[in-house]
Amino acid sequence: YERVKIFDKDARILLNNLPDDFFSNIILLFPDPWTKRRHKKRRLLNDLNINIFLRTLKKNGKIYFGTDVENYFSEVRNILLEKKIYVIENEKNFYSLPKMLCETKYAKKSIKKGIIPKYLVVKKNVDIL
């Protein structure tokens, strides 16, 4: 896979060194939810980091986000609702696995526990932030 690269460090290091409009798609499935209140600032998708991801995303590019933690999903969705540079493409059905993705082992574990994962598909609709 020539077009797939793995970066095993803090993603912000990579993202802060990339030009604007670099990625066509960004896929973030089941990142650590940091469930304790004092740790929530460490979440990969928070208000600050979402801006970094959106900056590196091309116009019409998409962010795919999946989690089985309800408050994490709600937090990310609420942050995105405040921004006017995107469209949530799957607003009517967050429980459906987007066609582009395959079910992960984390999704399977959640389903086995009776928790249905939720997904966001966010399309950037402007050139720059």
Side-chain angles (χ1 to χ4, degrees), residues 14-23 26 52-58 124 127:
L14 175 66
L15 294 171
N16 285 323
N17 286 291
L18 291 176
D20 294 354
D21 307 320
F22 185 79
F23 292 113
I26 297 172
I52 296 169
F53 282 107
L54 289 171
R55 180 190 63 76
T56 61
L57 191 63
K58 293 179 182 177
K124 182 176 174 184
D127 284 325

Side-chain angles (χ1 to χ4, degrees), residues 8 16 18 27 35 37 39 49 57 59 70 93 102-103 110-111 113 119:
D8 66 352
N16 285 323
L18 291 176
I27 301 170
T35 53
R37 172 173 269 196
H39 292 155
N49 292 343
L57 191 63
K59 182 179 180 186
E70 181 64 39
N93 188 1
C102 60
E103 194 172 58
S110 294
I111 292 167
K113 292 179 187 177
Y119 300 91

Side-chain angles (χ1 to χ4, degrees), residues 37-111:
R37 172 173 269 196
R38 68 180 186 266
H39 292 155
K40 284 187 179 181
K41 64 182 177 263
R42 296 181 183 175
R43 286 180 168 177
L44 183 60
L45 283 179
N46 58 34
D47 195 30
L48 178 65
N49 292 343
I50 284 176
N51 288 330
I52 296 169
F53 282 107
L54 289 171
R55 180 190 63 76
T56 61
L57 191 63
K58 293 179 182 177
K59 182 179 180 186
N60 296 318
K62 295 180 184 178
I63 294 177
Y64 295 86
F65 171 67
T67 186
D68 58 349
V69 178
E70 181 64 39
N71 74 356
Y72 195 6
F73 180 86
S74 296
E75 180 181 313
V76 170
R77 184 172 174 269
N78 289 339
I79 291 169
L80 289 168
L81 285 173
E82 295 172 6
K83 303 188 183 304
K84 306 291 183 220
I85 63 165
Y86 73 94
V87 174
I88 295 178
E89 289 201 330
N90 64 331
E91 185 73 49
K92 296 195 188 303
N93 188 1
F94 296 127
Y95 294 104
S96 180
L97 179 70
K99 291 179 182 170
M100 178 184 177
L101 306 177
C102 60
E103 194 172 58
T104 68
K105 71 178 183 178
Y106 297 105
K108 290 175 185 175
K109 275 174 70 173
S110 294
I111 292 167

